[in-house]
Amino acid sequence: MVGRLTQRDRTICRLLYEHRVLTTSQIADVGFASLRKAQERMALLHRLEVADHFRPRSWAGTGPYHHTLGPAGAAVIAAERGVEVRDLPWRRDAATALAASQRLGHLVATNGFFTALLRTCRRHPGSELAEWWSEQRCAAVWGKVVRPDGYGVWVEDDRRLPFLLEYDCGTERLARLEAKLPGYARLARAAKHPTWVLFCFTSPAREAAARKVLRHPAVPVATAVVERGATPDGPLWLALSDSGRRRLVDLGHPSRAVAAGTPA
C-alpha cells in the first residue's frame, strides 16, 4: 500500500493528522487541479483506509464528504515519526466522532481559511503559507495565556505576516470576544513584540458590532468578512485604526528570520 502513495498523499495524511478534518474541496485547494481529481483520489485513499470520510447531515440535506485520518494513514504518520501507531495521539473513533461534534462547523471553517491561502500559493508564485498551526498546537504552546483558532505566517514577495486567527461563527457573545484581548496582550509582552490578531466574521453586521469591543492598546486587530469563494489574502482586512481595507500582506512587514514557534 505504501508504495502506491504519492508525496501529495503523504501531505494529505499530515494535514489530516494535524488539522483533524478537511472537506474534499479543501483538499482540492491543497494540491489538485480540480474538485473531480480530488474526489477520485480521496475515493482511492478511502478504499486503502488511508483516510476515512463521513457526510454530516444538515437542514439543507446531506453535506459534502469530510475526510479524517484512517488507520493506514496513521501508520504512515507513525512510520515518519519512528513510533508505533498506539503512541500517536490519534484514535479512529475520536476522529469519527467529529461527525456529531457541535464544533465541526467551526473547525471546518477555520481549516478552510488556511486551505484557501494554500490555493492562492498554488496559483501565485511568490506567495507562501510558511506556517499553519492548529488550535491544538496553539493550545499546547500558549494555552495558559490564550487559545487562538490557528496561527499562520503569510509570506508574499518580500513581506511577511505572522498572525493569530480568531474565526467567529457568531455564536459567542461580544463580551467573550472582548475578553480574549488581555490574553493576546500578555502574549505580546512575553514575546516582546505584538502580533496581528485577525478576526474573521461571517457577516458585515457581526463584524461591525464586534469592532466596537475589539480595541486594546497592546493588540493590533484587523477584521474581515470572508465570504464563500473569496480568498483571505485579498483586500478584505480593516485594521481598527484604518478607514480603508487592505490586502492581507499589507498588514505585514519586510521578510526577516523569525524563531520557529514564536509569533513576530
Side-chain angles (χ1 to χ4, degrees):
M1 183 276 295
V2 174
R4 301 178 65 178
L5 297 185
T6 65
Q7 286 302 315
R8 181 175 59 191
D9 296 334
R10 292 175 179 275
T11 295
I12 291 170
C13 288
R14 296 181 197 114
L15 290 176
L16 292 177
Y17 176 70
E18 173 77 12
H19 303 289
R20 303 179 65 195
V21 60
L22 295 171
T23 66
T24 309
S25 61
Q26 290 170 353
I27 289 173
D29 286 344
V30 170
F32 289 88
S34 67
L35 179 61
R36 174 57 63 87
K37 292 293 185 182
Q39 290 170 334
E40 291 172 352
R41 192 62 187 178
M42 293 311 298
L44 174 61
L45 295 184
H46 179 254
R47 290 196 295 273
L48 295 174
E49 294 195 325
V50 172
D52 289 334
H53 65 213
F54 61 87
R55 299 180 74 177
R57 295 187 178 276
S58 67
W59 290 110
T62 303
Y65 275 122
H66 290 51
H67 304 274
T68 59
L69 192 66
V76 169
I77 297 298
E80 289 184 347
R81 297 178 177 225
V83 300
E84 299 294 327
V85 171
R86 63 176 178 270
D87 298 322
L88 294 175
W90 171 88
R91 297 294 180 269
R92 192 177 194 179
D93 56 350
T96 304
L98 281 171
S101 172
Q102 293 183 348
R103 288 184 52 80
L104 176 64
H106 180 266
L107 178 58
V108 169
T110 299
N111 288 347
F113 179 98
F114 288 97
T115 59
L117 290 177
L118 290 175
R119 182 176 70 235
T120 294
C121 297
R122 294 174 54 233
R123 296 176 179 177
H124 299 285
S127 59
E128 179 189 8
L129 182 60
E131 293 283 355
W132 172 14
W133 288 19
S134 66
E135 179 182 2
Q136 291 92 331
R137 187 174 178 184
C138 291
V141 177
W142 306 309
K144 293 183 179 180
V145 179
V146 71
R147 291 174 177 259
D149 295 322
Y151 167 68
V153 177
W154 179 246
V155 180
E156 191 172 332
D157 298 323
D158 64 342
R159 284 176 291 179
R160 180 184 185 92
L161 176 71
F163 64 87
L164 298 151
L165 178 67
E166 287 283 348
Y167 195 100
D168 177 80
C169 291
T171 57
E172 291 185 317
R173 298 178 63 181
L174 294 179
R176 172 60 184 148
L177 300 186
E178 183 180 15
K180 296 180 180 185
L181 297 180
Y184 284 114
R186 287 177 59 195
L187 181 61
R189 288 193 296 271
K192 298 184 179 178
H193 43 64
T195 300
W196 281 97
V197 182
L198 306 183
F199 282 83
C200 186
F201 298 97
T202 57
S203 74
R206 176 71 171 180
E207 180 191 27
R211 286 178 62 83
K212 297 176 182 178
V213 303
L214 291 178
R215 295 187 179 276
H216 193 289
V219 183
V221 169
T223 67
V225 177
V226 182
E227 298 178 348
R228 184 183 297 272
T231 52
D233 61 298
L236 306 174
W237 297 96
L238 185 60
L240 292 186
S241 58
D242 285 356
S243 57
R245 295 191 183 265
R246 308 189 221 175
R247 295 181 64 239
L248 182 62
V249 72
D250 291 332
L251 298 172
H253 50 67
S255 183
R256 58 186 175 85
V258 177
T262 304

